[in-house]
Amino acid sequence: TLFTAIPLDFDISSPLTYGTPSSRVEGTPRSGVRGTPVRQRPDLGSARKARQVDLHSDGPAEDLVTAEQSLGQRLVIWGTDVNVASCKEKFQRFLQRFIDPVAKEDEDVGLDLNQPRYMQRLEEINIVGEPFLNVNCDHLRAFDENLYRQLICYPQEVIPTFDMATNEIFFDRYPDSILEHQIQVRPYNALKTRNMRSLNPEDIDQLITISGMVIRSSQLIPEMQEAFFKCQVCAFTTRVEIDRGRIAEPSVCKNCNTTHSMALIHNRSMFSDKQMIKLQESPEDMPAGQTPHTVALFAHNDLVDKVQPGDRVNVTGIYRAVPVRVNPRVSVVKSVYKTHIDVIHYRKTDSKRLHGVDEETEQKIFTEERVELLKELSTKADIYERLSSALAPSIYEHEDIKKGILLQLFGGSRKDFTHTGRGNFRAEINILLCGDPGTSKSQLLQYVHNLVPRGQYTSGKGSSAVGLTAYVMKDPETRQLVLQTGALVLSDNGICCIDEFDKMNESTRSVLHEVMEQQTLSIAKAGIICQLNARTSILAAANPIESQWNPKKTTIENIQLPHTLLSRFDLIFLMLDPRDEAYDRRLARHLVSLYYQSEEKLEEEYMDMAVLRDYIAFARSYIHPRLSEEASQALIEAYVDMRKIGSGRGMVSAYPRQLESLIRLAEAHAKVRFSEKVETTDVEEAKRLHREALKQSATDPRTGIVDISILTTGMSATARKRKEELAQALRKLIQTKGKTPALKYQQLFEDLRAQSDTAVTKDMFDEALRALADDDFLTVTGKTVRLL
Amino acid sequence: MPCVADWLNNPFSIVQGIFAQNSPNSDWEKKVTDYFKEKLKENNATNWVPSLNDVPVHYLKPNSLVKFRCMVQDMFDPEFYMGVYETVDPNTNARVLHFGKYRDVAECGPQQEIDMNSSQTVTSERQTLYCVPVPAGCAVVLNPQFYAYISASQARVSPSTSYTPSRHKRSYEEDEDMEQHPSKQKEQHTGEKGPACLVKVYESWDTFKVNDVLEVYGILSVDPVLSIVSNEERDSSTLEPVEYMDIAEEQRVHSPPSSLVPRIHVILAHKLQHINPLLPACLNEEESKTFVSNFMSELSPVRAELLGFLTHALLGDSLAAEYLILHLISTVYARRDVLPLGKFTVNLSGCPKNSVFTEHIYRIIQQLVPASYRLQMTIENMNHSRFIPHKDYTANRLVSGILQLASNTSLVIDETQLEQGQLDTKGVHNVKALGNLITWQKVDYDFSYHQMEFPCNINVLITSEGRSLLPSDCQVQLQPQLIPPNMEEYMNSLLTAVLPSVLNKFRIYLSLLRLLDYSISDEVTKAVEEDFVEMRKNDPESITADDLHRTLLVARFLSLSAGQTTLSRERWLRAKQLEALRKARLQQQKCVNGNEL
């Protein structure tokens, strides 16, 4: 009788189960290694299974092993071109010699880059005791192209060889080391496949790496590896290994020769852990209008429960296809195969972001021609103008705003000052657009949101702090608490577009304070406390409180947002209806053209969007400009100039925050040119744009002077001065009244109004009283004013 | 040379023939599609192919050629199948090659076994699309009134072969019957729209998108073995560890019994420009050009009649009727970055509350367009209905929502039903989704961990008392010229008064004009420019960029509605005039209601 352990899993008669039938691979050396047992690798499918491939169907057995006498004992594994001995030797050489000259991986911390890196890894294994060696396939490829190819094509045969090679070296070096089991090699980063969509029948049984998002994971499934039988007559015991998911139950007891006396003892059998995981294509990889593909993964042993639903991972494993039988007893076969991936290695792509490692892990792969094209574009003198005009072509003019957004898309360079105690400097540029309703602000936001891969779009009106940040949800089925991340966290390393910023409630806005300067997000909810990274640029749009923008009021008065928040924006633009004839004419022509242009012309522009997207992605991942000496000087000068303007009028006209903004903008502009160095031209443009934005948003409508304090303190310098004067006048007034301990509020107000030559409103009076109260000169209780 | 019945009734024999001639060479696949393409080109051949939309599955012969007009509701993962496999007879050791294409089950004779290790085996890939009849997303029903005629017309052309059910003739009579008594229609005529199907596509499946409307020709597979599969799997799953249960759920959903959800193995498939069978399927062909030009020549009386009809329906308001025509021929003809061009959402305000008026307006639209859906905007509906399609990860299926609609569906939102009340989270999301749909013509499907944007092209008409809370491109205040004492009677008599032949003209009119091209000459561009500048000069508040947008849209549809594909100066002025009339009404309304916005 056969016990069916996993009925759907394997089919004995399929070549696909063992696409590369093998093998001459012996187990890893057991002898001479004290105390370290071998452990089966269910992720590879065991070698035993492979041995039993029906050899007779394909002719005489001699064909199976090609013996090349001329080269001595050169055996290759059947169906492959892998020679175990040379493969082993090559891999050992790789371990002993491979030095990565340009390593910048985050996991290299503590490695001496000038020493063979994998030897250092083995040393680590000796110390830590974790018997897994992760090998970057890219390294292997750089070292030996052929060996890499063999690994990709015949992982089931090559990886055990690697295991063998590794263990030999390891136990040679550290003979006294005792590990939980022998070292297993886990290759990752096979460049074979990146996208689930490109998987095809040719990938079956090959080593692949795909990226995606975990959507479901099953509970732990115990899979029997070795069955334990006991004779019910004489208590003789025996072990039977599982072969292709089935157990061959001994029908006769070897000891007492009783038939059918052997019974399976479950709790003495050996089981390994297994888990089924569903991986879904990442949203970025999906073509528009199609649903995402999914693929099943099987994780084994310690890889079980390594990932949770919602994680983005890169999975390296072997792609399998298994035929589906209609009925196990009938030979009718459904003509469809079931596919899955046996996981060898996981690499979470977003967990790193939580740890604040700077490298962007999901670098987009560009073809050489594409890089060529982008680089050629970058040499164009007018690339900055070109790109900014390619941005949202349906929105008319507003060139400076588009330029600002363009720089925002590129972002500055990230700087780490943790060692000096200042933490990270933000590299993201935040932009606020204010203006009349119906000036295509939302459209601009929508465009940006669609352009960048990690763009999020929310509206201030509907969103609560919860929707922006993260919230804890109880899964109705599992009763498990799940942390759901909101728009801000999701747009980490991207742009969060917030429409109707002014409609946002107070508590939601307060979240933004932390995000916009510290670039982190703290969550304390339902007992879960954590700090998530939210290194997102904010592109917000706000409408004036009144239905129309009031040119007689300052920006703050118009949109009624706290200055603490406003000062965190690098650039604040006004999008106003210009009301000028030439503009109207151009606008009309532009709009009319929208209404009859042919599909093809529009198509052309769509191409531009793809180029623009790639251009930005390329610059963001590969260009990290640093300030040149001249640029630093220019920045200093610019800052000093900005301070000087104000000091003439007795006010502060620039703060360090403005200097930081300038630096970011200059860096972004250098990125636009694909330049590793920030030059003076970049600083010039940064200065110009910054000034332009200030001119729009920080001009004091009463005096016509650009006044930064409108944005930084919420009040123009003249207004503040007037306030102070009024307070002084009030103080004088009270002092002339002599030594009266208390005054009537209304009386005092009227006296002050009578005395002053300008109109004094009640608000102004209250403000003056408050100022004096702050000076401990008086207190106001109800309708009486008491002197102190 | 195989006779007609052969390629229709037994397409496998054709495929087998071509396969046997050409294998193991892989161009047999192309030869098969070419063969059927040729066959279907022969005169009226497409009409001979029975359609799953009209004929119930159990009347169709398994493994015969069928056609199916459908919308892609969901896409499954691609599957690998045995493209070519070899069987071996254990007694004689005779080996035979078979093709697995167009099949669900690898066929093999009673004395044969499939050799899984054969070097001849070719693994291929195909994609399964879950298709539903247009436009029946989930709650959307076919417009029975519209299709009543259509199935009748097809019954006339379909050949009287043995599998054409006699029942079909009866329904044809019923249709004629109903055509004359529209009041009866509502209760009857449901379910004659075909089943959901698993459509297996073999070529260029990446061109198909969710919500695409397709016409597929393929081999019908209702092999009972497929149902056995699911039974077997269900039985065995009870023996399996609990952990496999959810996989079983996915399997169950992905392989439903073939008697309910038949499989179609596609030989030819193409996307449809429109789903109105009164029009030739493809307008670029020579013969359809004459059809178009014939129709265009008698366009203006049709337009006048339609305008009159709608004016009556809108209680004598001809301006609203004019705008309704413009709305009904609007379509998103292009997207400029994120901006959908050509959408024209009309908010018909001033509709009498709590009357059957809005319901009847919907019934009239139902008569005119091939696909429509009426959304009653009540608190209850907003809070409890599922608007946005979402992914069910347990079953690995995209669960449809109200807003999963085929292109050019008319969505009529009835806001007069809305009372004051509390919207919960779901309600807010639903309202937001509606707003997104109207403004950007896209729906963000819910994939739980993220959202996916699906562009759409839906004509939204909002009927409301005051100005709608949803955004719209243009608000038209209804000004009834008469209030019929009995609305029900009035509307019914209106519908009965229209001859079916006239109604058909309306239907062709609305579908056809949507597909026309349009341009603006330099000269008119100049004039428009001047106009705009001039108006702005006099009063910058009077016209904004938005107004210009809208007027250009009105001008576009106005020109098209008269069959003109370029904008003339007169039409531009007429568009401006219409806009002025419309705005004046709103102004008037504002004065009446005091401080209402």
Side-chain angles (χ1 to χ4, degrees):
Chain A
T1 321
L2 291 177
F3 278 85
T4 307
I6 307 294
L8 293 172
D9 199 1
F10 286 105
D11 187 271
I12 24 168
S13 49
S14 160
L16 290 158
T17 318
Y18 345 91
T20 52
S22 79
S23 102
R24 300 279 142 162
V25 183
E26 300 100 55
T28 38
R30 211 184 272 259
S31 56
V33 181
R34 185 165 51 91
T36 300
V38 184
R39 178 182 282 185
Q40 268 195 28
R41 296 197 61 164
D43 50 351
L44 299 179
S46 77
R48 263 184 311 283
K49 289 175 199 163
R51 243 185 274 143
Q52 301 201 2
V53 165
D54 182 12
L55 305 181
H56 303 290
S57 67
D58 260 275
E62 290 91 276
D63 285 359
L64 304 180
V65 176
T66 321
E68 290 178 37
Q69 295 302 326
S70 56
L71 285 168
Q73 282 286 14
R74 242 189 93 86
L75 293 175
V76 295
I77 298 171
W78 178 75
T80 74
D81 61 355
V82 180
N83 175 276
V84 176
S86 88
C87 176
K88 195 166 98 180
E89 192 197 311
K90 277 186 198 161
F91 188 66
Q92 286 182 338
R93 212 179 313 139
F94 167 74
L95 291 181
Q96 282 161 340
R97 297 199 191 150
F98 183 75
I99 295 168
D100 189 7
V102 284
K104 53 174 183 180
E105 268 182 77
D106 46 278
E107 54 221 47
D108 288 343
V109 187
L111 280 191
D112 183 349
L113 293 181
N114 297 317
Q115 296 296 316
R117 59 182 292 135
Y118 290 104
M119 293 314 282
Q120 298 178 59
R121 286 273 176 239
L122 288 181
E123 195 185 330
E124 233 173 69
I125 291 173
N126 183 36
I127 296 165
V128 181
E130 260 193 14
F132 300 104
L133 180 69
N134 296 330
V135 174
N136 190 337
C137 295
D138 215 16
H139 293 162
L140 193 61
R141 192 167 68 145
F143 188 78
D144 186 334
E145 190 92 31
N146 191 41
L147 191 59
Y148 167 79
R149 184 190 54 75
Q150 286 180 336
L151 171 65
I152 298 298
C153 297
Y154 317 109
Q156 196 173 320
E157 291 75 27
V158 173
I159 295 176
T161 318
F162 282 6
D163 282 354
M164 207 165 21
T166 310
N167 282 300
E168 269 176 24
I169 292 188
F170 182 80
F171 289 106
D172 196 38
R173 270 202 169 206
Y174 312 103
D176 296 330
S177 180
I178 297 175
L179 300 176
E180 196 191 330
H181 56 84
Q182 294 208 347
I183 296 171
Q184 301 188 345
V185 174
R186 290 185 168 164
Y188 66 94
N189 197 18
L191 293 175
K192 180 90 181 117
T193 311
R194 279 306 205 163
N195 187 340
M196 211 175 283
R197 219 158 261 274
S198 51
L199 286 178
N200 64 47
E202 280 162 28
D203 293 321
I204 292 173
D205 285 313
Q206 303 215 334
L207 189 72
I208 54 166
T209 298
I210 57 169
S211 63
M213 187 164 59
V214 178
I215 50 169
R216 280 172 65 212
S217 59
S218 76
Q219 290 169 28
L220 189 142
I221 307 164
E223 191 178 40
M224 197 182 275
Q225 293 292 331
E226 197 178 66
F228 187 90
F229 287 95
K230 188 174 173 186
C231 174
Q232 283 171 326
V233 177
C234 66
F236 172 80
T237 62
T238 183
R239 291 172 184 277
V240 179
E241 286 186 342
I242 308 300
D243 190 7
R244 288 162 274 174
R246 291 177 185 203
I247 310 164
E249 187 188 358
S251 53
V252 181
C253 172
K254 277 185 205 152
N255 192 33
C256 62
N257 277 329
T258 321
T259 49
H260 302 302
S261 67
M262 304 298 283
L264 179 73
I265 310 293
H266 269 280
N267 54 6
R268 293 194 61 186
S269 301
M270 292 247 298
F271 292 90
S272 72
D273 297 344
K274 181 173 169 182
Q275 184 182 34
M276 199 212 62
I277 290 152
K278 274 264 162 165
L279 194 71
Q280 181 181 277
E281 191 170 18
S282 338
E284 299 91 82
D285 291 341
M286 257 181 286
Q290 304 213 346
T291 57
H293 287 179
T294 59
V295 66
L297 309 178
F298 284 116
H300 304 272
N301 290 333
D302 69 307
L303 290 179
V304 168
D305 271 345
K306 270 281 160 64
V307 291
Q308 300 289 324
D311 287 348
R312 281 154 178 267
V313 291
N314 282 340
V315 177
T316 305
I318 305 175
Y319 196 38
R320 305 282 193 187
V322 186
V324 188
R325 249 177 209 288
V326 170
N327 184 330
R329 284 172 296 277
V330 181
S331 67
V332 180
V333 175
K334 227 172 145 183
S335 62
V336 179
Y337 297 102
K338 267 197 167 126
T339 52
H340 72 266
I341 295 172
D342 278 321
V343 181
I344 291 178
H345 186 276
Y346 280 129
R347 191 179 159 102
K348 280 197 209 181
T349 47
D350 50 358
S351 67
K352 287 214 197 93
R353 299 211 312 275
L354 295 180
H355 298 134
V357 178
D358 258 7
E359 284 307 310
E360 302 223 349
T361 46
E362 287 166 89
Q363 286 188 349
K364 213 177 152 187
I365 309 290
F366 297 97
T367 59
E368 263 170 49
E369 301 92 75
R370 197 64 164 178
V371 173
E372 225 23 69
L373 173 81
L374 296 179
K375 287 205 168 136
E376 195 194 309
L377 263 179
S378 73
T379 56
K380 296 245 161 66
D382 60 343
I383 181 67
Y384 181 50
E385 281 74 22
R386 259 172 201 250
L387 291 178
S388 70
S389 61
L391 201 73
S394 69
I395 296 159
Y396 195 59
E397 296 208 334
H398 296 301
E399 256 125 46
D400 280 331
I401 296 178
K402 285 189 186 174
K403 280 178 180 169
I405 291 175
L406 186 72
L407 293 187
Q408 178 183 39
L409 289 170
F410 282 89
S413 304
R414 208 161 275 160
K415 307 165 200 70
D416 191 1
F417 287 103
T418 15
H419 56 278
T420 59
R422 249 217 76 172
N424 279 319
F425 260 56
R426 121 175 109 91
E428 282 73 20
I429 296 168
N430 299 323
I431 294 182
L432 176 67
L433 308 174
C434 327
D436 292 335
T439 40
S440 47
K441 293 190 298 293
S442 309
Q443 206 183 319
L444 203 53
L445 259 57
Q446 276 284 341
Y447 179 87
V448 170
H449 151 68
N450 278 301
L451 183 71
V452 292
R454 240 175 231 279
Q456 290 288 325
Y457 182 93
T458 85
S459 165
K461 211 198 263 163
S463 70
S464 60
V466 169
L468 269 184
T469 57
Y471 59 103
V472 179
M473 225 180 58
K474 194 170 242 166
D475 192 311
E477 277 165 40
T478 60
R479 317 284 302 151
Q480 206 175 41
L481 287 171
V482 189
L483 191 68
Q484 289 266 0
T485 44
L488 282 174
V489 181
L490 286 177
S491 58
D492 187 19
N493 271 325
I495 292 189
C496 187
C497 302
I498 307 176
D499 206 353
E500 297 182 295
F501 196 60
D502 48 308
K503 307 275 192 315
M504 199 176 265
N505 65 29
E506 202 51 53
S507 64
T508 318
R509 243 184 248 150
S510 68
V511 173
L512 284 173
H513 280 252
E514 185 188 349
V515 171
M516 289 175 69
E517 210 54 57
Q518 275 74 45
Q519 306 269 289
T520 55
L521 196 69
S522 308
I523 292 158
K525 214 165 196 165
I528 298 180
I529 300 169
C530 61
Q531 199 172 49
L532 300 173
N533 267 327
R535 287 162 310 175
T536 163
S537 310
I538 304 239
L539 176 61
N543 287 324
I545 288 296
E546 299 162 37
S547 61
Q548 206 86 39
W549 188 269
N550 186 344
K552 294 198 182 69
K553 289 184 170 177
T554 63
T555 308
I556 298 247
E557 287 161 342
N558 259 313
I559 54 174
Q560 299 278 323
L561 282 174
H563 60 85
T564 43
L565 200 53
L566 281 193
S567 64
R568 286 174 159 80
F569 284 100
D570 296 86
L571 298 171
I572 299 176
F573 288 107
L574 293 192
M575 272 180 109
L576 297 180
D577 210 345
R579 296 189 183 166
D580 119 56
E581 195 183 313
Y583 172 82
D584 289 347
R585 192 176 297 277
R586 288 194 305 267
L587 178 68
R589 192 175 314 144
H590 174 75
L591 287 183
V592 173
S593 74
L594 273 186
Y595 281 90
Y596 72 89
Q597 244 173 18
S598 60
E599 194 83 31
E600 297 90 72
K601 179 119 189 271
L602 294 172
E603 209 53 31
E604 258 169 48
E605 263 148 29
Y606 241 75
M607 267 302 295
D608 273 358
M609 192 160 162
V611 174
L612 180 64
R613 192 179 281 140
D614 281 359
Y615 195 94
I616 292 169
F618 185 85
R620 279 184 76 99
S621 25
Y622 297 104
I623 314 286
H624 307 283
R626 291 271 169 269
L627 290 177
S628 69
E629 189 53 42
E630 302 87 66
S632 315
Q633 279 307 322
L635 279 167
I636 293 167
E637 265 167 44
Y639 183 59
V640 169
D641 280 350
M642 279 162 73
R643 302 264 310 179
K644 251 191 223 151
I645 299 170
S647 67
R649 296 199 301 271
M651 57 192 194
V652 185
S653 55
Y655 294 87
R657 257 199 189 138
Q658 270 76 48
L659 178 59
E660 284 172 28
S661 290
L662 277 185
I663 296 173
R664 278 192 285 271
L665 290 171
E667 282 166 350
H669 190 261
K671 268 194 200 176
V672 173
R673 300 183 296 116
F674 279 5
S675 159
E676 285 290 350
K677 228 180 194 173
V678 181
E679 314 273 357
T680 34
T681 51
D682 302 319
V683 179
E684 286 305 315
E685 174 56 23
K687 253 166 72 184
R688 189 195 68 78
L689 205 59
H690 192 258
R691 200 170 50 229
E692 206 50 49
L694 272 186
K695 216 192 278 171
Q696 291 183 9
S697 57
T699 303
D700 187 342
R702 289 179 194 87
T703 59
I705 297 167
V706 175
D707 184 354
I708 186 72
S709 52
I710 289 177
L711 299 178
T712 51
T713 64
M715 195 182 269
S716 72
T718 35
R720 188 162 345 101
K721 210 153 145 205
R722 219 177 19 244
K723 191 173 105 182
E724 247 157 54
E725 278 166 7
L726 191 70
Q728 287 318 313
L730 184 63
R731 185 197 282 258
K732 267 202 200 115
L733 180 75
I734 293 168
Q735 275 162 350
T736 54
K737 298 233 166 185
K739 289 204 185 321
T740 36
L743 295 154
K744 283 252 165 37
Y745 175 90
Q746 200 58 34
Q747 182 64 42
L748 195 61
F749 181 36
E750 271 154 33
D751 285 354
L752 184 68
R753 267 183 27 178
Q755 182 198 6
S756 122
D757 10 299
T758 54
V760 178
T761 63
K762 197 156 181 297
D763 286 343
M764 289 164 74
F765 176 65
D766 282 340
E767 224 162 65
L769 277 180
R770 225 173 296 132
L772 292 182
D774 286 347
D775 291 349
D776 287 336
F777 181 68
L778 48 76
T779 57
V780 183
T781 41
K783 289 282 160 211
T784 31
V785 177
R786 276 169 219 286
L787 295 187
L788 293 173
Chain B
M1 189 68 198
C3 64
V4 171
D6 240 10
W7 63 266
L8 262 180
N9 291 336
N10 194 3
F12 272 129
S13 67
I14 309 283
V15 182
Q16 179 60 48
I18 297 174
F19 175 72
Q21 273 171 31
N22 295 281
S23 69
N25 203 325
S26 72
D27 17 300
W28 66 273
E29 304 188 35
K30 199 179 170 307
K31 284 194 175 146
V32 169
T33 43
D34 285 348
Y35 176 86
F36 283 97
K37 221 179 259 174
E38 274 312 306
K39 278 288 161 204
L40 287 171
K41 252 190 207 150
E42 285 167 22
N43 48 346
N44 277 335
T46 49
N47 290 335
W48 291 83
V49 182
S51 163
L52 263 179
N53 298 93
D54 307 323
V55 187
V57 179
H58 52 274
Y59 284 111
L60 291 168
K61 198 173 158 235
N63 296 333
S64 65
L65 192 73
V66 293
K67 67 177 174 191
F68 186 42
R69 195 177 45 236
C70 56
M71 183 182 96
V72 182
Q73 194 265 317
D74 189 10
M75 292 163 154
F76 294 166
D77 291 328
E79 56 187 24
F80 293 173
Y81 68 98
M82 289 180 269
V84 176
Y85 60 95
E86 200 174 28
T87 55
V88 58
D89 189 322
N91 301 322
T92 61
N93 235 359
R95 295 178 160 267
V96 185
L97 272 187
H98 299 263
F99 61 93
K101 204 177 175 180
Y102 310 124
R103 293 184 203 266
D104 283 308
V105 171
E107 298 267 317
C108 83
Q111 292 303 315
Q112 295 174 325
E113 274 175 16
I114 294 172
D115 179 10
M116 304 297 272
N117 293 327
S118 164
S119 58
Q120 303 269 37
T121 307
V122 178
T123 308
S124 314
E125 199 179 1
R126 69 186 175 204
Q127 165 102 50
T128 308
L129 308 176
Y130 188 88
C131 293
V132 291
V134 199
C138 64
V140 191
V141 259
L142 256 152
N143 283 351
Q145 290 83 349
F146 193 93
Y147 274 93
Y149 169 79
I150 289 141
S151 42
S153 70
Q154 285 189 342
R156 272 183 219 120
V157 292
S158 72
S160 53
T161 36
S162 58
Y163 48 76
T164 306
S166 55
R167 204 186 125 200
H168 201 245
K169 270 186 193 143
R170 197 175 63 233
S171 75
Y172 155 70
E173 278 149 25
E174 274 167 14
D175 296 339
E176 289 281 71
D177 206 14
M178 266 175 265
E179 202 65 60
Q180 281 136 34
H181 309 285
S183 58
K184 275 198 205 161
Q185 286 172 358
K186 239 200 153 177
E187 305 80 58
Q188 302 173 32
H189 234 297
T190 45
E192 280 273 340
K193 54 202 178 196
C197 273
L198 290 178
V199 173
K200 312 255 176 181
V201 203
Y202 290 84
E203 279 160 5
S204 56
W205 55 75
D206 39 346
T207 58
F208 299 118
K209 295 192 165 120
V210 174
N211 299 347
D212 272 352
V213 177
L214 310 176
E215 181 159 62
V216 299
Y217 291 86
I219 298 172
L220 179 71
S221 162
V222 284
D223 200 328
V225 174
L226 293 173
S227 320
I228 293 171
V229 174
S230 45
N231 283 336
E232 283 283 333
E233 273 165 8
R234 214 170 302 147
D235 290 345
S236 60
S237 71
T238 52
L239 304 170
E240 284 166 24
V242 188
E243 289 77 19
Y244 274 103
M245 285 302 269
D246 42 31
I247 306 172
E249 167 68 12
E250 182 179 329
Q251 267 168 9
R252 195 179 59 74
V253 174
H254 278 245
S255 43
S258 57
S259 52
L260 298 177
V261 182
R263 277 65 163 167
I264 298 179
H265 293 268
V266 174
I267 297 176
L268 289 172
H270 55 93
K271 287 194 209 175
L272 293 178
Q273 270 180 308
H274 62 85
I275 48 169
N276 188 343
L278 298 171
L279 254 64
C282 182
L283 289 176
N284 299 329
E285 281 166 16
E286 230 16 78
E287 42 190 309
S288 35
K289 273 187 183 143
T290 49
F291 173 88
V292 172
S293 57
N294 283 344
F295 190 80
M296 295 305 266
S297 62
E298 49 164 343
L299 200 68
S300 52
V302 176
R303 187 186 197 280
E305 254 179 291
L306 178 60
L307 185 65
F309 174 66
L310 290 179
T311 307
H312 283 298
L314 293 167
L315 310 177
D317 185 343
S318 61
L319 182 72
E322 190 80 56
Y323 271 98
L324 191 55
I325 293 182
L326 304 186
H327 163 74
L328 288 173
I329 61 165
S330 70
T331 181
V332 177
Y333 61 92
R335 278 170 200 270
R336 178 85 164 208
D337 40 65
V338 290
L339 194 71
L341 296 174
K343 67 168 178 110
F344 195 62
T345 305
V346 169
N347 173 205
L348 192 64
S349 61
C351 296
K353 194 172 169 62
N354 298 328
S355 96
V356 287
F357 174 72
T358 50
E359 193 191 320
H360 281 278
I361 288 296
Y362 175 66
R363 279 186 52 193
I364 283 170
I365 289 178
Q366 238 183 343
Q367 291 282 344
L368 298 175
V369 298
S372 65
Y373 182 73
R374 179 172 184 225
L375 179 64
Q376 307 201 28
M377 212 175 160
T378 58
I379 292 282
E380 168 84 12
N381 261 346
M382 300 309 282
N383 280 344
H384 298 292
S385 319
R386 198 171 49 225
F387 278 39
I388 309 161
H390 76 268
K391 181 88 174 184
D392 174 357
Y393 283 118
T394 318
N396 201 10
R397 270 292 316 272
L398 183 66
V399 182
S400 189
I402 290 173
L403 296 184
Q404 187 174 13
L405 297 169
S407 278
N408 289 125
T409 304
S410 273
L411 176 65
V412 181
I413 303 175
D414 189 358
E415 207 189 271
T416 58
Q417 310 267 333
L418 195 63
E419 300 281 345
Q420 285 185 41
Q422 174 95 44
L423 282 183
D424 57 22
T425 326
K426 198 168 173 190
V428 173
H429 278 292
N430 284 341
V431 174
K432 225 167 144 182
L434 276 180
N436 261 339
L437 170 76
I438 293 168
T439 321
W440 307 111
Q441 288 287 335
K442 62 168 195 185
V443 180
D444 289 320
Y445 290 12
D446 181 6
F447 281 84
S448 209
Y449 302 99
H450 61 91
Q451 297 190 329
M452 274 280 290
E453 203 178 282
F454 285 81
C456 54
N457 182 4
I458 293 166
N459 296 22
V460 187
L461 176 71
I462 309 163
T463 52
S464 63
E465 235 187 318
R467 184 172 163 230
S468 168
L469 63 86
L470 296 169
S472 65
D473 293 312
C474 142
Q475 182 195 353
V476 182
Q477 179 73 25
L478 187 71
Q479 282 186 350
Q481 303 299 310
L482 63 140
I483 304 288
N486 186 340
M487 188 76 80
E488 186 89 40
E489 214 168 79
Y490 174 80
M491 289 289 187
N492 284 339
S493 61
L494 189 66
L495 270 178
T496 15
V498 188
L499 291 172
S501 62
V502 175
L503 212 49
N504 276 341
K505 281 197 177 138
F506 292 169
R507 292 163 176 166
I508 297 173
Y509 175 87
L510 292 177
S511 297
L512 181 66
L513 292 182
R514 221 177 239 167
L515 302 168
L516 294 183
D517 284 330
Y518 174 74
S519 67
I520 302 177
S521 67
D522 283 349
E523 192 190 340
V524 178
T525 306
K526 200 96 199 135
V528 171
E529 224 175 275
E530 289 297 330
D531 240 12
F532 182 65
V533 172
E534 201 54 39
M535 282 188 285
R536 295 270 295 178
K537 216 187 266 169
N538 298 338
D539 180 9
E541 298 290 323
S542 72
I543 183 162
T544 62
D546 272 352
D547 292 320
L548 183 60
H549 258 289
R550 185 167 40 237
T551 317
L552 282 164
L553 264 182
V554 171
R556 176 189 173 97
F557 298 128
L558 204 58
S559 306
L560 288 177
S561 76
Q564 294 182 356
T565 53
T566 54
L567 179 62
S568 68
R569 180 115 184 96
E570 293 70 47
R571 296 266 165 234
W572 170 248
L573 292 177
R574 172 81 182 128
K576 265 173 55 182
Q577 193 193 348
L578 277 180
E579 276 294 283
L581 281 173
R582 186 184 66 84
K583 277 193 195 159
R585 277 194 188 181
L586 293 181
Q587 210 63 40
Q588 212 179 327
Q589 193 59 25
K590 219 186 273 181
C591 299
V592 173
N593 290 7
N595 55 1
E596 207 214 353
L597 200 99

